[in-house]
């Protein structure tokens, strides 16, 4: 089945979908994105993604090319057209095609934003084998820019971080800045000590994860303690458990950091429980 994708208001077969070589997303990585997961053919945590997209666009002075309601409707239509039961929707909005290359932002009146979206079919997203064994991570310096709270398409360094992890025979990298963990290449990072979950507080240093917000809410509701503060790699290696969260992995246990097992070296009970709670609750509120 050919995938149907969305480009600037049109649903097209993927091989007919094109964007200009002058698009600022292509030339300047001048764009923002969202990744939303799909379970049982429904959109997970959609409201959070809609709100964060609007914030990313506003922070970069970029016009929104679609209303919140139309965005949800478009995602639903992509799910329907591509018959997705489990998977993800990737959405990208860029500052459009001004017809040439320039460092100056084009006038949004004459250069509308470009919007594209496509589905990724992942039949075992909820049941991912990696969730049973957990991620092994390495730590690397955080060399990204200082506005990581904006979900931009500038993903070269996170991509390099993923490759460094792969070369080391691991699954992911956690970024470290001024001695403390910021987050993973494409996820938020946590450690667990007893009944307490520790994760870095929100600031410009990290992406304000939509999964993070839900997981911390569920953790509090399940009588777990939540402490938002930076932690070091040494503290993480010494913790009872560690895990990462993102729309693409939900709650993913982390079992090893820089070659040292965390806790028992197996997925911990709190990470496993939070993953179950997250999936249960999200299935109830999916749209
Ligand atoms: N990444 N931190 C970073 C740097 C991220 O790129 C992501 C998400 C997260 C988690 O955010 P959320 O819970 O809203 O997915 C944290 C997506 C999944 C990606 O780039 O594929």
């Amino acid at each position: 089945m050919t995938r149907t994708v969305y480009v600037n208001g049109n649903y097209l077969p993927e091989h007919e979908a094109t964007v200009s070589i002058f698009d600022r997303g292509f030339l300047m990585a001048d764009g923002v994105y969202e990744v939303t997961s799909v379970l049982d053919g429904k959109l997970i945590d959609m409201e959070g993604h809609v709100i964060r997209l609007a914030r990313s666009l506003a922070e970069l002075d970029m016009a929104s090319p679609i209303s919140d309601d139309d965005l949800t409707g478009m995602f639903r239509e992509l799910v329907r057209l591509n018959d997705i039961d489990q998977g993800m929707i990737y959405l990208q909005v860029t500052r459009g095609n001004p017809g040439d290359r320039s460092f100056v932002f084009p006038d949004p009146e004459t250069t509308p934003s470009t919007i594209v979206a496509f589905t990724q079919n992942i039949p075992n997203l909820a049941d991912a084998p990696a969730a049973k064994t957990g991620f092994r991570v390495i730590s690397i310096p955080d060399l990204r820019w200082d506005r990581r709270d904006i979900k931009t398409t500038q993903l070269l360094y996170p991509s390099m971080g993923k490759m460094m992890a792969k070369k080391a025979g691991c699954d992911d990298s956690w970024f470290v800045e001024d001695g403390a963990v910021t987050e993973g290449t494409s996820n938020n990072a946590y450690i667990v000590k007893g009944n307490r979950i520790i994760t870095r507080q929100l600031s410009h240093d990290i992406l304000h994860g939509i999964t993070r917000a839900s997981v911390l809410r569920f953790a509090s509701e399940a009588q777990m303690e939540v402490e938002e503060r930076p932690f070091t790699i040494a503290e993480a290696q010494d913790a009872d458990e560690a895990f990462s969260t993102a729309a693409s992995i939900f709650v993913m246990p982390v079992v090893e950091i820089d070659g040292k097992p965390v806790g028992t070296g197996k997925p911990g009970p709190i990470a496993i429980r939070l993953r179950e709670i997250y999936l249960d609750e999200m299935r109830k509120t999916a749209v």
Side-chain angles (χ1 to χ4, degrees):
M1 177 172 152
T2 309
R3 181 160 45 172
T4 302
V5 303
Y6 176 90
V7 186
N8 296 327
N10 300 310
Y11 297 92
L12 300 169
E14 63 179 61
H15 57 270
E16 285 177 25
T18 55
V19 173
S20 165
I21 62 159
F22 299 116
D23 194 280
R24 287 183 58 92
F26 180 60
L27 295 180
M28 301 278 188
D30 185 358
V32 301
Y33 76 105
E34 282 296 327
V35 175
T36 305
S37 47
V38 177
L39 289 178
D40 311 326
K42 290 188 176 167
L43 310 171
I44 298 301
D45 242 338
M46 186 60 190
E47 196 187 344
H49 290 285
V50 169
I51 292 170
R52 186 174 61 192
L53 174 69
R55 181 177 179 277
S56 293
L57 290 168
E59 290 294 314
L60 295 176
D61 247 343
M62 210 182 286
S64 178
I66 193 165
S67 73
D68 294 356
D69 285 349
D70 286 351
L71 182 66
T72 303
M74 182 262 277
F75 275 20
R76 284 214 185 106
E77 183 63 0
L78 280 179
V79 167
R80 190 187 69 78
L81 289 169
N82 293 287
D83 198 16
I84 304 294
D85 179 54
Q86 291 190 33
M88 298 191 291
I89 302 184
Y90 178 83
L91 168 84
Q92 179 167 310
V93 179
T94 69
R95 208 181 302 273
N97 163 25
D100 204 349
R101 179 174 181 267
S102 166
F103 280 81
V104 177
F105 289 176
D107 181 349
E109 293 293 320
T110 48
T111 304
S113 322
T114 300
I115 175 168
V116 306
F118 55 82
T119 52
Q120 292 180 287
N121 187 29
I122 309 169
N124 62 355
L125 187 65
D127 230 1
K132 297 192 176 64
T133 49
F135 269 8
R136 295 162 63 226
V137 307
I138 59 167
S139 64
I140 61 171
D142 198 335
L143 302 183
R144 298 172 301 162
W145 77 329
D146 274 344
R147 289 304 306 274
R148 302 157 194 158
D149 56 309
I150 308 172
K151 199 162 173 60
T152 77
T153 56
Q154 306 171 99
L155 294 178
L156 180 55
Y157 188 65
S159 195
M160 289 167 72
K162 198 76 176 172
M163 293 312 295
M164 287 182 233
K166 265 190 96 164
K167 270 185 208 142
C170 292
D171 305 290
D172 200 18
S173 293
W174 278 8
F175 295 131
V176 174
E177 185 171 61
D178 298 331
V181 174
T182 50
E183 58 187 333
T185 56
S186 51
N187 46 68
N188 292 115
Y190 309 72
I191 58 173
V192 180
K193 289 177 160 187
N195 191 40
R196 176 175 304 191
I197 291 152
I198 300 162
T199 193
R200 197 179 178 101
Q201 70 278 14
L202 297 182
S203 70
H204 289 178
D205 297 341
I206 61 169
L207 186 75
H208 301 186
I210 304 307
T211 320
R212 176 189 184 280
S214 295
V215 165
L216 292 186
R217 191 173 75 245
F218 299 142
S220 296
E221 286 168 10
Q223 315 305 326
M224 298 172 193
E225 285 172 55
V226 173
E227 190 180 350
E228 294 181 68
R229 65 158 172 86
F231 58 85
T232 64
I233 287 292
E235 191 181 6
Q237 288 170 324
D238 205 36
D240 298 324
E241 295 183 34
F243 63 91
S244 294
T245 67
S248 49
I249 52 172
F250 306 127
V251 178
M252 178 61 67
V254 168
V255 296
E256 185 188 295
I257 303 173
D258 286 339
K260 286 202 179 156
V262 179
T264 60
K266 299 224 166 73
I270 290 206
I272 291 172
R273 185 151 167 243
L274 281 174
R275 185 181 174 90
E276 281 167 8
I277 296 175
Y278 181 81
L279 287 169
D280 281 355
E281 293 299 318
M282 283 299 128
R283 283 190 147 116
K284 284 186 209 158
T285 53
V287 295

